[in-house]
Amino acid sequence: MSTDPLAAPDTARDASAGWEAVVGSIGPKVRALRRERGLTLQQLAQAADVSTASVHKVERGDMVPTVTTLLKIAGALAVPVRFFVEDSEPTHAAVHTRFGDAVRTGPVVITGPPDRFRSSGTVARLEPGEERPGLRRAGETLLVVLEGRLDVEVAEARYVVAAGEALHFPSWLEHRCRNSGETTAEIVAVDVPDV
């Protein structure tokens, strides 16, 4: 057995370097998400129910947040706490979805996982006469008609959206979609929640 310290890796040092990298990435991740959401330090602190000084120190790396503080910040930024302690770079930066004929059997989710992305999207087909009520929630909805035609009612206003057209509206308004045409309507619906 070799006594040379260079002969085998120092597992304690490797482990220390691993958690130090994770801890060191928390502040930049908090800052990046806060800026992406358009929040000031004070707004994030208020939403998380922690002091502005604490948020500032976490972002600068001057303070390692407690589990409770990190949970509060994660909640205020609408991300799971694991976002802050997983590898900085996901294995795959993009999500590529193939849906093709699968849309015939029902709506197909075309967006990435909600722990990595804010928006959610589906591709769906509505048969002639088919109607779907919209789900009301804070945020926005973008409907894009790829084929056919869709009658959309948003807060008692009516729109006819044909192939090659889109309709964008606040999701919290009462809304519903109906295919009143004679052919199948194929649509893409993208929802972006308020955060």
Side-chain angles (χ1 to χ4, degrees):
M1 182 172 160
S2 172
T3 57
D4 181 0
L6 300 176
D10 183 346
T11 54
R13 191 175 354 171
D14 290 349
S16 174
W19 68 259
E20 285 175 357
V22 169
V23 169
S25 72
I26 292 172
K29 287 180 178 181
V30 170
R31 184 183 313 108
L33 275 180
R34 176 180 62 78
R35 289 178 176 170
E36 180 183 302
R37 308 284 200 262
L39 298 172
T40 64
L41 283 167
Q42 294 80 8
Q43 289 169 326
L44 175 56
Q46 184 177 4
D49 193 27
V50 297
S51 72
T52 303
S54 292
V55 174
H56 185 61
K57 286 178 182 178
V58 168
E59 285 191 1
R60 288 182 37 186
D62 294 339
M63 180 179 101
V64 177
T66 65
V67 172
T68 302
T69 300
L70 192 56
L71 285 166
K72 288 179 175 183
I73 291 172
L77 291 169
V79 293
V81 73
R82 72 176 179 268
F83 172 84
F84 297 108
V85 294
E86 289 180 336
D87 289 336
S88 296
E89 295 298 324
T91 305
H92 301 287
V95 175
H96 182 188
T97 306
R98 293 177 180 91
F99 54 88
D101 290 335
V103 179
R104 296 183 195 282
T105 62
V108 175
V109 175
I110 58 170
T111 45
D115 61 330
R116 286 184 47 207
F117 299 97
R118 286 180 47 213
S119 63
S120 63
T122 56
V123 175
R125 290 178 190 240
L126 273 71
E127 296 303 322
E130 187 175 354
E131 183 173 321
R132 293 191 186 164
L135 179 61
R136 293 177 69 180
R137 59 189 169 277
E140 304 170 18
T141 297
L142 174 65
L143 293 177
V144 180
V145 177
L146 303 176
E147 293 179 16
R149 176 181 103 171
L150 201 61
D151 292 345
V152 184
E153 186 177 323
V154 179
E156 299 184 16
R158 295 172 195 236
Y159 305 88
V160 176
V161 188
E165 298 178 349
L167 186 66
H168 192 179
F169 56 89
S171 306
W172 55 268
L173 295 172
E174 188 171 343
H175 57 281
R176 69 184 68 248
C177 302
R178 184 172 193 276
N179 180 355
S180 59
E182 296 179 2
T183 61
T184 301
E186 186 169 300
I187 62 167
V188 172
V190 178
D191 293 304
V192 181
D194 266 350
V195 290

